[in-house]
Amino acid sequence: MDAVQDGFVNALTHLDRFSGRSSFKTWLLRVVCNASLDIGRQRKRAERVPQAPRDSSPDRFGPDEQAPADAGLERADLRRAIDVALARLPETQRQTFVLHVEGELTYREVADALGISIGTVMSRLFYARQRLKDLLAHCQQP
């Protein structure tokens, strides 16, 4: 959240630097991404606090619709395992993967945001997925 706030402040402060060579979305994402990298360097990658599961809607009734009691714990454990695996990726692969998967950007938007070619995006995603598959193999359920 700090990175997003810093990124928006930087974007508003330097709005005159937007030249229109890419979409505004791509430019803004790059500014926020840079702010995130700066904060990460400052904090020396402090351990992240796991997030609580978001699906806790109070309107669920009946035994058929009720999640198992340990479902939230399993989800938290899986999220922690994913965070640890992501942290073990090289910075370039992690950045590309997060922008594409969590940021829901297209290959073109990721390429523009990072200033790389689409082929490089595809390559980084391929190797990131392979590495994550290996790192998360122990999390598969039978």
Side-chain angles (χ1 to χ4, degrees):
M1 296 307 285
D2 291 340
V4 173
Q5 183 176 355
D6 289 351
F8 275 96
V9 168
N10 289 340
L12 288 173
T13 307
H14 303 349
L15 194 56
D16 58 325
R17 294 185 186 176
F18 176 64
S19 61
R21 287 181 284 160
S22 63
S23 71
F24 183 76
K25 176 183 173 182
T26 302
W27 178 78
L28 180 61
L29 186 64
R30 185 69 213 161
V31 172
V32 173
C33 186
N34 286 341
S36 175
L37 291 172
D38 291 343
I39 287 175
R41 285 185 205 109
Q42 290 170 0
R43 294 183 181 171
K44 297 287 184 186
R45 307 221 187 282
E47 190 170 298
R48 293 173 50 178
V49 177
Q51 296 179 351
R54 293 182 185 170
D55 186 22
S56 58
S57 54
D59 56 346
R60 290 184 176 190
F61 295 102
D64 293 336
E65 295 181 17
Q66 196 171 25
D70 62 349
L73 294 174
E74 288 177 12
R75 186 179 185 118
D77 287 344
L78 180 58
R79 183 65 220 191
R80 248 189 313 277
I82 291 170
D83 288 343
V84 168
L86 281 171
R88 293 184 62 189
L89 290 178
E91 179 66 26
T92 56
Q93 288 179 11
R94 178 176 46 251
Q95 205 174 31
T96 305
F97 185 83
V98 169
L99 286 174
H100 179 64
V101 174
E102 291 185 12
E104 298 179 357
L105 297 182
T106 65
Y107 285 10
R108 168 55 59 203
E109 290 170 329
V110 173
D112 290 345
L114 297 178
I116 57 177
S117 71
I118 290 179
T120 302
V121 170
M122 292 169 51
S123 174
R124 287 180 184 178
L125 287 173
F126 173 80
Y127 288 111
R129 288 178 182 128
Q130 291 298 313
R131 181 78 173 129
L132 288 172
K133 181 180 171 185
D134 292 341
L135 291 170
L136 296 170
H138 69 280
C139 294
Q140 288 182 338
Q141 295 179 354

